[in-house]
Amino acid sequence: MTTRMPPDRRARLEHIMAGLAAGDDALIVALMREFAPELERAARFHAQSVTTAPVTDGEITGLVADFAFAIAAVAKSWRADGGALPWTFARAALRQVAIDVLVTPAEMRTSLDDGKFGDIADEGSRALGCDEGECLGTLIDLAQRVPAVQAVVSRWDGVPDLHLEIALEYRMQQMQGDPSAAATIAERYGKSTQNVRQIASRVWRRADGAHPDMMVS
């Protein structure tokens, strides 16, 4: 089941990101403290995706701090209406941070030679789930490892992230048996139900040739 951040918490996140974009680095601490659960979940996801070695709670705490600084570094590029939450928007940077912190050169060589990184990343993508703004990030992470998924994602070049999020979440609601999926997503994104259906239809038509189970009816 997809979840949505409460409006007051979302407003606070947007305020912090706007401040970071304006150069108020003091808000990095606020990001770390107030959004620790989300950053910790992102830290565990990326840790699982880059190493098979045990990761301590202390290392996760360190990653949370590092992730907050990495998110602050891209705050000027993040858009509140872009569909993806900051830790999803900055997923490539966060993954690199996890590699820099957790992966030794020897482990990197061994994992690449054995093809292990792909398997680990696939497990991490499934663990990330599909909370608000994360469906697209999960799909892109998976596409990097599975050619069949990449073949579908490549057809969406040029499609706004927000439209992809709407189409993906609409399909998720349908698969979960929501009889009013369009209304659910319309309320979530401030769209009309007709607009949601139109966006989803256009997105999935772009993916013509995808597996039938992935198509919006």
Side-chain angles (χ1 to χ4, degrees):
M1 179 73 70
T2 57
T3 60
R4 187 156 179 83
M5 188 177 289
D8 58 340
R9 201 156 188 267
R10 176 69 188 228
R12 176 58 177 162
L13 176 62
E14 292 178 6
H15 173 78
I16 289 174
M17 292 299 292
L20 291 172
D24 186 356
D25 291 341
L27 286 172
I28 294 175
V29 176
L31 180 64
M32 274 189 283
R33 289 178 176 173
E34 297 179 37
F35 294 89
E38 290 86 353
L39 291 175
E40 181 177 333
R41 190 153 68 92
R44 293 191 183 280
F45 159 63
H46 285 291
Q48 291 171 7
S49 77
V50 303
T51 182
T52 56
V55 179
T56 67
D57 289 342
E59 287 173 320
I60 292 297
T61 299
L63 279 179
V64 166
D66 291 337
F67 280 12
F69 279 92
I71 289 170
V74 301
K76 289 183 179 179
S77 301
W78 182 77
R79 289 176 49 198
D81 61 351
L85 292 168
W87 34 88
T88 301
F89 173 79
R91 59 186 170 272
L94 302 190
R95 176 179 171 82
Q96 187 59 53
V97 168
I99 290 173
D100 292 344
V101 171
L102 300 175
V103 181
T104 66
E107 183 183 3
M108 175 72 82
R109 287 195 299 271
T110 300
S111 296
L112 289 175
D113 291 343
D114 293 346
K116 291 179 180 178
F117 269 148
D119 295 338
I120 299 166
D122 289 348
E123 289 299 324
S125 293
R126 286 192 288 272
L128 183 59
C130 197
D131 286 348
E132 179 197 9
E134 292 181 351
C135 290
L136 180 57
T138 299
L139 183 65
I140 291 173
D141 287 337
L142 187 59
Q144 292 173 349
R145 305 296 168 183
V146 182
V149 178
Q150 178 58 44
V152 175
V153 172
S154 65
R155 297 188 180 102
W156 287 328
D157 287 346
V159 177
D161 282 0
L162 179 59
H163 287 191
L164 291 177
E165 279 291 339
I166 288 172
L168 290 168
E169 292 198 28
Y170 178 41
R171 183 53 176 156
M172 288 289 291
Q173 289 297 130
Q174 288 183 317
M175 293 174 66
Q176 291 162 4
D178 184 350
S180 304
T184 300
I185 302 305
E187 180 179 2
R188 192 172 292 170
Y189 284 92
K191 305 284 186 182
S192 69
T193 55
Q194 181 179 5
N195 195 202
V196 167
R197 292 190 184 99
Q198 289 173 339
I199 289 171
S201 178
R202 286 196 298 268
V203 167
W204 289 107
R205 279 202 303 270
R206 286 283 292 268
D208 183 36
H211 191 282
D213 288 347
M214 296 180 68
M215 303 301 289
V216 174
S217 56

